[in-house]
Every structure is written in C-alpha cells, then in structure tokens.
Amino acid sequence: MFSPEGPSLRELAVQALSSVEHGYDLLAPKFDHTPFRTPDSVLDSVGRALARRGPFDAGLDLCCGTGAGAGVLARVCRQSVTGVDFSNGMLAVARERVRAVAPGPRLDWVRADARALPFGPAFDVVVSFGAFGHFLPRELPGLFGQVRSVLRPGGCFAFPVVAPPRPGSLGYWMLLGFDLVMRVRNALWRPPFVMYYRAFRPADVRRELEAAGFRVELEALPEFGRRGDGSPRVRLVVANLPG
C-alpha cells in the first residue's frame, strides 16, 4: 500500500488493532515508505530555520521514529544528537539508517516514553515531527513539562504545524472521518491505538506551552506558500525557555 515498498492493507489493519507501541514495532521496517513519515521538504525547511537560530551543542529528537528528525539535528548540533522513542522497532531502523551521518555530532538512541524522559537538563534544542496525534489533549501539560525539564536555560522546543483544512473541504472531512473511526475502534477494542489528527489544536498548544513556562514564537516556513486568506500553510512553532 502507498508504494511497492510500503505496508499492505492487511499489515496496516494488524497495526491498527495493536497498541501504539506494538503497532509501530510492526510498521517500522516499512514506515519510511508511508505518508506518515514527515516529508523531506518539511524536514529541510525546519533544518534551515533552525540553522538560522543555531548552532546548538546538544539536540533531542522527541518521538524520533526512524530518525528523520535526528538527521535534521545532526546538521545544526555540534556535539551530540539523541533520538528517543518507545518503539524498539523504530529505534532499530533509526540506528541503521542514520548511523552513517559522519563527520558530525555523536548519535545516541534511547528507548523511553516521552511522558517520562530519563534525562536532566542536557539539551539546547528539542524537535518533534508528526508525533503529537498520539497524545490526548489532557496529556499535553505533562508532555510539555517533560520537554522543559530536559532543556538547558535559553533552549528551545521546535516543531512544524500544518494549517488545518478549511471546514467543509475534502481534507476536513477526511480527517474528521479518520478521527471518528479511531474513536469507534478504541471504544470497541483493547488496547487502544491513540492517533487523533484533529486533537492537536494550535490555540490549545500555545496556551499549554506558555503555561509550562515557554515563550512561543510562530515562524512561517516560506517554502510552502500561503493560503487564500494570506495565512502560512506551514509554520514552525518555537517555544523558548528564558536564558
């Protein structure tokens, strides 16, 4: 499905009926051949935006998956890059595909839950790509508190957000339909598979980041243009800690 190298419909069904962790263990070998992986165009744009703010010493890729974000950090960090994820399968693929980034910073891979990070304030920049749909809105304060706890003073937390589809558009109905299917699935089947595309609302996210002590900036990523009303199609959220 998606491409000859991607997962079949049957494999996706098995994943969807698993827990989030086990589902991604199953999907990991073919994840980079699905639309779920952040496109290179977004990764490169974020990398350029971070380069204008850096360089940094140490970076963390939160919910790193197969390591695409770690590759971005390797271009803007001088000393070390750490990828953290709770899927052993994803980390195994990341170790294989990113190990050839040299010369460059030291690369480390850690299995852990983003809601209980096993680090002190060791990082200057934290990034995350495409993972927030796996967290319920009530989990955001704890998640952002964890990010704050691993950042050094003056550090930043950065992630891209795509403008939501307009109400009534095809994209709007597709996302709404997906979320409804997931809610029905989780009401009828255990363990749950948390993936809600519409639950990560920019206004709520900004409020929770500010409540966690961040100063929030929104930077338009110009490579993706603007919508009819003039608003950016893709923004970079940069949450800064006081120095």
Side-chain angles (χ1 to χ4, degrees), residues 87-123:
S87 165
N88 277 322
M90 287 292 200
L91 291 171
V93 174
R95 290 187 184 97
E96 182 66 25
R97 70 178 295 275
V98 190
R99 66 180 179 177
V101 178
R106 186 184 77 249
L107 291 171
D108 297 303
W109 306 101
V110 177
R111 183 182 181 277
D113 191 319
R115 293 161 294 195
L117 293 172
F119 312 109
F123 302 101

Short mmCIF file of all heavy atoms in Angstrom, two decimals, residues 87-123:
data_model
loop_
_atom_site.label_atom_id
_atom_site.label_comp_id
_atom_site.label_asym_id
_atom_site.label_seq_id
_atom_site.Cartn_x
_atom_site.Cartn_y
_atom_site.Cartn_z
N SER A 87 9.31 2.76 20.79
CA SER A 87 9.23 1.59 19.92
C SER A 87 10.62 1.06 19.62
O SER A 87 11.43 1.73 18.98
CB SER A 87 8.52 1.96 18.61
OG SER A 87 8.73 0.96 17.63
N ASN A 88 10.90 -0.15 20.08
CA ASN A 88 12.18 -0.77 19.77
C ASN A 88 12.36 -0.95 18.27
O ASN A 88 13.47 -0.83 17.73
CB ASN A 88 12.29 -2.13 20.47
CG ASN A 88 12.75 -2.01 21.90
OD1 ASN A 88 13.60 -1.18 22.23
ND2 ASN A 88 12.19 -2.83 22.78
N GLY A 89 11.26 -1.27 17.57
CA GLY A 89 11.36 -1.45 16.13
C GLY A 89 11.77 -0.17 15.43
O GLY A 89 12.63 -0.21 14.51
N MET A 90 11.18 0.95 15.80
CA MET A 90 11.56 2.22 15.20
C MET A 90 13.02 2.56 15.49
O MET A 90 13.76 3.02 14.61
CB MET A 90 10.64 3.33 15.72
CG MET A 90 9.23 3.27 15.16
SD MET A 90 9.20 3.66 13.40
CE MET A 90 7.48 4.09 13.18
N LEU A 91 13.44 2.35 16.72
CA LEU A 91 14.83 2.66 17.08
C LEU A 91 15.81 1.79 16.32
O LEU A 91 16.89 2.24 15.93
CB LEU A 91 15.03 2.49 18.59
CG LEU A 91 14.32 3.53 19.46
CD1 LEU A 91 14.40 3.14 20.92
CD2 LEU A 91 14.93 4.91 19.25
N ALA A 92 15.45 0.53 16.07
CA ALA A 92 16.34 -0.35 15.31
C ALA A 92 16.54 0.18 13.89
O ALA A 92 17.66 0.17 13.36
CB ALA A 92 15.77 -1.77 15.27
N VAL A 93 15.46 0.64 13.28
CA VAL A 93 15.58 1.21 11.93
C VAL A 93 16.39 2.50 11.98
O VAL A 93 17.24 2.76 11.11
CB VAL A 93 14.19 1.46 11.33
CG1 VAL A 93 14.30 2.18 9.99
CG2 VAL A 93 13.44 0.15 11.14
N ALA A 94 16.15 3.33 12.99
CA ALA A 94 16.89 4.59 13.11
C ALA A 94 18.39 4.34 13.25
O ALA A 94 19.19 5.03 12.60
CB ALA A 94 16.37 5.38 14.32
N ARG A 95 18.76 3.38 14.06
CA ARG A 95 20.19 3.09 14.22
C ARG A 95 20.82 2.71 12.89
O ARG A 95 21.97 3.07 12.59
CB ARG A 95 20.38 1.95 15.22
CG ARG A 95 20.06 2.31 16.65
CD ARG A 95 20.43 1.17 17.59
NE ARG A 95 20.04 1.46 18.96
CZ ARG A 95 18.91 1.04 19.52
NH1 ARG A 95 18.07 0.27 18.82
NH2 ARG A 95 18.62 1.37 20.76
N GLU A 96 20.09 1.98 12.07
CA GLU A 96 20.62 1.52 10.80
C GLU A 96 20.70 2.63 9.77
O GLU A 96 21.70 2.78 9.07
CB GLU A 96 19.74 0.39 10.25
CG GLU A 96 20.22 -0.20 8.95
CD GLU A 96 21.54 -0.93 9.07
OE1 GLU A 96 21.87 -1.39 10.18
OE2 GLU A 96 22.26 -1.03 8.04
N ARG A 97 19.66 3.46 9.69
CA ARG A 97 19.59 4.43 8.59
C ARG A 97 20.35 5.72 8.87
O ARG A 97 20.74 6.42 7.94
CB ARG A 97 18.13 4.76 8.24
CG ARG A 97 17.38 5.57 9.25
CD ARG A 97 15.96 5.88 8.78
NE ARG A 97 15.96 6.74 7.62
CZ ARG A 97 16.03 8.08 7.70
NH1 ARG A 97 16.13 8.66 8.89
NH2 ARG A 97 16.01 8.81 6.61
N VAL A 98 20.59 6.05 10.15
CA VAL A 98 21.23 7.32 10.46
C VAL A 98 22.68 7.13 10.91
O VAL A 98 23.40 8.09 11.08
CB VAL A 98 20.42 8.09 11.54
CG1 VAL A 98 20.93 9.52 11.71
CG2 VAL A 98 18.95 8.15 11.16
N ARG A 99 23.12 5.91 11.04
CA ARG A 99 24.46 5.68 11.60
C ARG A 99 25.57 6.22 10.71
O ARG A 99 26.68 6.45 11.17
CB ARG A 99 24.67 4.18 11.83
CG ARG A 99 24.71 3.34 10.55
CD ARG A 99 24.93 1.88 10.87
NE ARG A 99 24.93 1.06 9.68
CZ ARG A 99 25.17 -0.25 9.68
NH1 ARG A 99 25.42 -0.86 10.82
NH2 ARG A 99 25.15 -0.93 8.56
N ALA A 100 25.27 6.45 9.42
CA ALA A 100 26.31 6.88 8.51
C ALA A 100 26.50 8.39 8.49
O ALA A 100 27.25 8.91 7.67
CB ALA A 100 25.99 6.39 7.09
N VAL A 101 25.79 9.13 9.37
CA VAL A 101 25.95 10.59 9.41
C VAL A 101 27.29 10.92 10.04
O VAL A 101 27.44 10.90 11.26
CB VAL A 101 24.81 11.25 10.22
CG1 VAL A 101 25.02 12.75 10.29
CG2 VAL A 101 23.46 10.94 9.58
N ALA A 102 28.30 11.18 9.22
CA ALA A 102 29.64 11.45 9.71
C ALA A 102 30.39 12.22 8.62
O ALA A 102 30.18 11.98 7.43
CB ALA A 102 30.37 10.15 10.04
N PRO A 103 31.28 13.15 8.95
CA PRO A 103 31.53 13.57 10.33
C PRO A 103 30.36 14.38 10.87
O PRO A 103 29.57 14.91 10.11
CB PRO A 103 32.78 14.41 10.19
CG PRO A 103 32.68 14.98 8.80
CD PRO A 103 32.05 13.90 7.96
N GLY A 104 30.27 14.45 12.15
CA GLY A 104 29.16 15.16 12.75
C GLY A 104 29.09 14.87 14.23
O GLY A 104 30.01 14.28 14.82
N PRO A 105 27.99 15.24 14.87
CA PRO A 105 27.84 15.02 16.31
C PRO A 105 27.67 13.55 16.65
O PRO A 105 27.32 12.73 15.79
CB PRO A 105 26.57 15.80 16.64
CG PRO A 105 25.78 15.77 15.37
CD PRO A 105 26.79 15.87 14.27
N ARG A 106 27.90 13.22 17.90
CA ARG A 106 27.65 11.85 18.38
C ARG A 106 26.15 11.58 18.34
O ARG A 106 25.33 12.43 18.68
CB ARG A 106 28.15 11.73 19.82
CG ARG A 106 28.07 10.31 20.38
CD ARG A 106 28.47 10.25 21.84
NE ARG A 106 27.41 10.74 22.71
CZ ARG A 106 27.48 11.87 23.40
NH1 ARG A 106 28.55 12.64 23.33
NH2 ARG A 106 26.47 12.26 24.18
N LEU A 107 25.78 10.38 17.92
CA LEU A 107 24.38 9.98 17.84
C LEU A 107 24.09 8.92 18.89
O LEU A 107 24.81 7.92 18.99
CB LEU A 107 24.06 9.43 16.45
CG LEU A 107 24.08 10.43 15.30
CD1 LEU A 107 23.98 9.70 13.97
CD2 LEU A 107 22.95 11.43 15.43
N ASP A 108 23.03 9.11 19.67
CA ASP A 108 22.60 8.14 20.67
C ASP A 108 21.11 7.87 20.48
O ASP A 108 20.34 8.76 20.08
CB ASP A 108 22.85 8.68 22.09
CG ASP A 108 24.31 8.91 22.37
OD1 ASP A 108 25.11 7.96 22.25
OD2 ASP A 108 24.67 10.06 22.71
N TRP A 109 20.70 6.64 20.81
CA TRP A 109 19.31 6.24 20.68
C TRP A 109 18.84 5.66 22.01
O TRP A 109 19.50 4.79 22.57
CB TRP A 109 19.14 5.20 19.56
CG TRP A 109 19.72 5.69 18.27
CD1 TRP A 109 20.93 5.35 17.74
CD2 TRP A 109 19.14 6.64 17.37
NE1 TRP A 109 21.14 6.02 16.56
CE2 TRP A 109 20.05 6.82 16.30
CE3 TRP A 109 17.94 7.34 17.36
CZ2 TRP A 109 19.80 7.68 15.25
CZ3 TRP A 109 17.68 8.20 16.31
CH2 TRP A 109 18.61 8.36 15.26
N VAL A 110 17.72 6.17 22.52
CA VAL A 110 17.25 5.79 23.85
C VAL A 110 15.78 5.38 23.76
O VAL A 110 14.96 6.11 23.19
CB VAL A 110 17.39 6.97 24.84
CG1 VAL A 110 16.82 6.60 26.20
CG2 VAL A 110 18.86 7.39 24.95
N ARG A 111 15.47 4.23 24.33
CA ARG A 111 14.08 3.81 24.40
C ARG A 111 13.47 4.37 25.68
O ARG A 111 13.93 4.09 26.80
CB ARG A 111 13.95 2.28 24.40
CG ARG A 111 12.49 1.83 24.41
CD ARG A 111 12.37 0.31 24.45
NE ARG A 111 10.96 -0.08 24.43
CZ ARG A 111 10.16 -0.12 25.50
NH1 ARG A 111 10.66 0.17 26.69
NH2 ARG A 111 8.89 -0.47 25.39
N ALA A 112 12.44 5.20 25.53
CA ALA A 112 11.77 5.80 26.68
C ALA A 112 10.45 6.39 26.23
O ALA A 112 10.23 6.65 25.04
CB ALA A 112 12.64 6.88 27.32
N ASP A 113 9.57 6.61 27.19
CA ASP A 113 8.29 7.26 26.95
C ASP A 113 8.49 8.77 27.05
O ASP A 113 9.11 9.26 28.01
CB ASP A 113 7.28 6.78 28.00
CG ASP A 113 5.85 7.18 27.68
OD1 ASP A 113 5.63 8.32 27.22
OD2 ASP A 113 4.94 6.35 27.89
N ALA A 114 7.96 9.52 26.09
CA ALA A 114 8.11 10.97 26.09
C ALA A 114 7.48 11.61 27.33
O ALA A 114 7.82 12.73 27.69
CB ALA A 114 7.49 11.56 24.83
N ARG A 115 6.56 10.88 27.97
CA ARG A 115 5.90 11.42 29.16
C ARG A 115 6.70 11.19 30.43
O ARG A 115 6.29 11.61 31.52
CB ARG A 115 4.51 10.81 29.28
CG ARG A 115 3.57 11.23 28.16
CD ARG A 115 2.38 10.33 28.01
NE ARG A 115 2.77 8.98 27.56
CZ ARG A 115 1.93 8.08 27.09
NH1 ARG A 115 0.64 8.37 27.00
NH2 ARG A 115 2.35 6.90 26.71
N ALA A 116 7.85 10.51 30.31
CA ALA A 116 8.72 10.24 31.47
C ALA A 116 10.16 10.16 30.96
O ALA A 116 10.76 9.08 30.94
CB ALA A 116 8.31 8.96 32.18
N LEU A 117 10.70 11.29 30.55
CA LEU A 117 12.03 11.30 29.91
C LEU A 117 13.13 11.05 30.94
O LEU A 117 13.12 11.66 32.02
CB LEU A 117 12.25 12.63 29.20
CG LEU A 117 11.36 12.87 27.99
CD1 LEU A 117 11.52 14.31 27.48
CD2 LEU A 117 11.67 11.89 26.87
N PRO A 118 14.10 10.20 30.60
CA PRO A 118 15.15 9.84 31.55
C PRO A 118 16.38 10.74 31.45
O PRO A 118 17.53 10.27 31.48
CB PRO A 118 15.50 8.41 31.12
CG PRO A 118 15.32 8.42 29.64
CD PRO A 118 14.15 9.35 29.38
N PHE A 119 16.18 12.04 31.31
CA PHE A 119 17.29 12.97 31.15
C PHE A 119 17.14 14.12 32.13
O PHE A 119 16.02 14.46 32.54
CB PHE A 119 17.34 13.56 29.73
CG PHE A 119 17.22 12.56 28.62
CD1 PHE A 119 16.08 12.50 27.83
CD2 PHE A 119 18.26 11.68 28.34
CE1 PHE A 119 15.96 11.59 26.80
CE2 PHE A 119 18.16 10.75 27.32
CZ PHE A 119 17.00 10.71 26.54
N GLY A 120 18.25 14.74 32.44
CA GLY A 120 18.23 16.02 33.12
C GLY A 120 18.23 17.12 32.08
O GLY A 120 18.02 16.88 30.88
N PRO A 121 18.51 18.37 32.49
CA PRO A 121 18.56 19.49 31.55
C PRO A 121 19.84 19.46 30.72
O PRO A 121 20.81 20.17 30.98
CB PRO A 121 18.50 20.72 32.47
CG PRO A 121 19.07 20.24 33.76
CD PRO A 121 18.69 18.80 33.89
N ALA A 122 19.83 18.61 29.69
CA ALA A 122 21.05 18.32 28.93
C ALA A 122 21.03 18.81 27.50
O ALA A 122 22.01 18.66 26.78
CB ALA A 122 21.29 16.80 28.94
N PHE A 123 19.91 19.44 27.05
CA PHE A 123 19.77 19.75 25.63
C PHE A 123 19.52 21.24 25.40
O PHE A 123 18.91 21.92 26.21
CB PHE A 123 18.60 18.94 25.04
CG PHE A 123 18.78 17.45 25.20
CD1 PHE A 123 18.11 16.77 26.22
CD2 PHE A 123 19.64 16.75 24.38
CE1 PHE A 123 18.28 15.41 26.39
CE2 PHE A 123 19.81 15.38 24.54
CZ PHE A 123 19.14 14.71 25.55
#
